[in-house]
Every structure is written in structure tokens, then in C-alpha cells.
Amino acid sequence: SALVESALPLPLLRRGKVREVYEVDADRLLLVASDRVSAFDVVMREPVPWKGAVLTQITAFWLRRLEPHVAHHMLAADADAIVAAVPALAPHRAQLVGRAMLCRRTDVFPVECVVRGYLSGSAWKEYRQTGTLAGEPLPAGLRESDRFDPPRFSPATKAETGHDENITPAQVAALLGRETADELERLSRLVYERGRAWAAERGILVADTKFEFGRRDGAIVLIDEVLTPDSSRFW
């Protein structure tokens, strides 16, 4: 059966289009991915059973795979390990299976770190109208779905409602400082290239994807979901 909305005995920090975020304590959060489906800022009435578990376990796979290269926020994505760490959740184990992730808290950067390998989506829409991406000129004569070599780092604002807005790397630097902006771009490109290479061997193109990062103890940490169907365009 589908989980439309979780209900756990922890303080609810926020309910997003797909996820609920609970406060475990001052140091940890619990993310629960429901089976709600969101597209173009609309939450559909029909959930997809176990969709949330797919999103969570794909993310867990990538965070473990990236551990030698990128710090991340995941502590556990196994229901039994989560219950062992937070015993109050034991009666609610069924809501945790597959779809819950226990995480370290971070100070989240207010930007979406988008990497585009191909000209598609909002980038194509803007290019078709103005020949630009986030206001910066692109080469003339590009076609929809043309490949970018190298991929483009194309960050966006994090909108509470409505669509995110594409911004330039220079705008990220003005917002967060040059050193932080450069490191976010470096990490985003690293994760994208590793994901794209792994997927390509299996006949899948990662057209574009978005990452989120936070800061913890002075370090930049990869958070939220990673290379999932909800955060990426797969061909």
C-alpha cells in the first residue's frame, strides 16, 4: 500500500511536496519520503506505492558510493538501524522501511546546484527565447537536447513556492562567497561525472540533475536526494 503521509512521534519540522522532515534532536533529522508524486509544483492525487523507498534507497546507494570523495549527511537508511538509534520509533517501523533516512543536521545553502549535460527543460526554454542560460549567452544554433561539453554548472534559487529561478555562478559567488561557490561547483561536477559514467555503462543518459549541500563543522556536506528520478532527468 502507498504511504501518502507519515505520522511519527517526533517534532515535524516541515512537510514538503514529497518528504516529511522530523527533528530527532539538536544534531539529527529524520527524512521520510512518502509515495506522493509531484510534477511542475503540483502534488498529484494518486500516489505510487513504494516510490519513496525507491528515492531513499537510490540516494543511500549513491551516498555510500561517493563516501571516499564527498562528505554527506546520512547516518542510516535501514529501518532496524534507525530504530536502534531512535527507540521511540520502534512501534512505527512499518512507516520507516526503505523510505526513512537518519541524517546529520547541516546549515543548508540557499541554492540548488544543477549540472546540465544536455540542453533541455528550463534551459532549452530560455535558450529558445533569448539564446541564453540564466542570462548568459550560449553558442548560436544549438538544438533541443544537444550535449554540453563540458557539462554546465547552472545553479538555481531555492523557491519556497513556484519554480526555482536559474542564476549564474557569479551570482552564487556574490551570495555565498567565491571560495564556497567554487567548492559547490567542484563537488557538483564531481558527483555528476561519476553518476553519468556509471549510468552510461547501463544505457542511461543523465541529462541533468540537481544537488543540495549544507555546511557542518566548517565542511561542505552533500544532503537531500542524489541522482534520483525526482532530482534528475534520465534518458
Side-chain angles (χ1 to χ4, degrees):
S1 61
L3 180 72
V4 175
E5 187 175 292
S6 65
L8 299 173
L10 296 172
L12 179 65
L13 285 184
R14 63 181 176 275
R15 176 170 284 117
K17 299 183 185 76
V18 173
R19 286 174 179 76
E20 280 89 54
V21 180
Y22 294 91
E23 182 180 53
V24 176
D25 52 35
D27 195 52
R28 298 175 297 172
L29 300 175
L30 185 74
L31 278 58
V32 181
S34 74
D35 295 328
R36 300 189 296 271
V37 177
S38 170
F40 297 103
D41 307 310
V42 175
V43 178
M44 309 301 180
R45 287 179 302 206
E46 302 82 6
V48 175
W50 294 104
K51 170 181 177 282
V54 171
L55 299 180
T56 300
Q57 295 307 314
I58 288 176
T59 295
F61 165 84
W62 277 110
L63 293 180
R64 287 190 292 264
R65 189 175 181 88
L66 291 163
E67 275 178 357
H69 313 285
V70 183
H72 62 73
H73 69 161
M74 182 177 69
L75 293 168
D78 172 77
D80 291 331
I82 293 171
V83 168
V86 190
L89 295 174
H92 305 272
R93 183 182 180 279
Q95 292 187 60
L96 306 178
V97 174
R99 64 180 72 252
M101 183 178 291
L102 185 64
C103 302
R104 301 175 183 89
R105 298 183 80 146
T106 70
D107 295 321
V108 180
F109 293 111
V111 294
E112 304 274 8
C113 292
V114 181
V115 182
R116 300 182 182 277
Y118 297 82
L119 180 58
S120 188
S122 64
W124 167 245
K125 180 179 179 181
E126 179 183 338
Y127 177 79
R128 186 176 54 186
Q129 293 173 343
T130 63
T132 62
L133 176 55
E136 294 187 323
L138 291 178
L142 295 178
R143 301 165 299 174
E144 184 175 12
S145 303
D146 272 352
R147 179 176 170 127
F148 289 127
D149 282 313
R152 295 189 69 94
F153 179 63
S154 175
T157 59
K158 292 181 66 171
E160 291 296 324
T161 59
H163 287 296
D164 298 336
E165 179 183 350
N166 294 328
I167 58 177
T168 65
Q171 288 173 292
V172 178
L175 180 66
L176 302 176
R178 171 58 62 189
E179 184 178 352
T180 296
D182 287 349
E183 182 65 359
L184 289 176
E185 178 172 352
R186 184 188 73 82
L187 291 171
S188 298
R189 289 182 177 279
L190 184 155
V191 177
Y192 175 75
E193 290 293 358
R194 289 184 175 275
R196 179 164 77 164
W198 193 88
E201 293 175 358
R202 291 152 181 84
I204 299 170
L205 298 179
V206 183
D208 51 51
T209 190
K210 74 171 183 68
F211 306 113
E212 294 193 42
F213 294 89
R215 191 184 296 279
R216 180 182 171 87
D217 298 330
I220 293 179
V221 177
L222 180 60
I223 65 171
D224 199 55
E225 58 186 319
V226 180
L227 292 163
T228 74
D230 268 18
S231 65
S232 314
R233 201 185 315 266
F234 294 144
W235 293 340

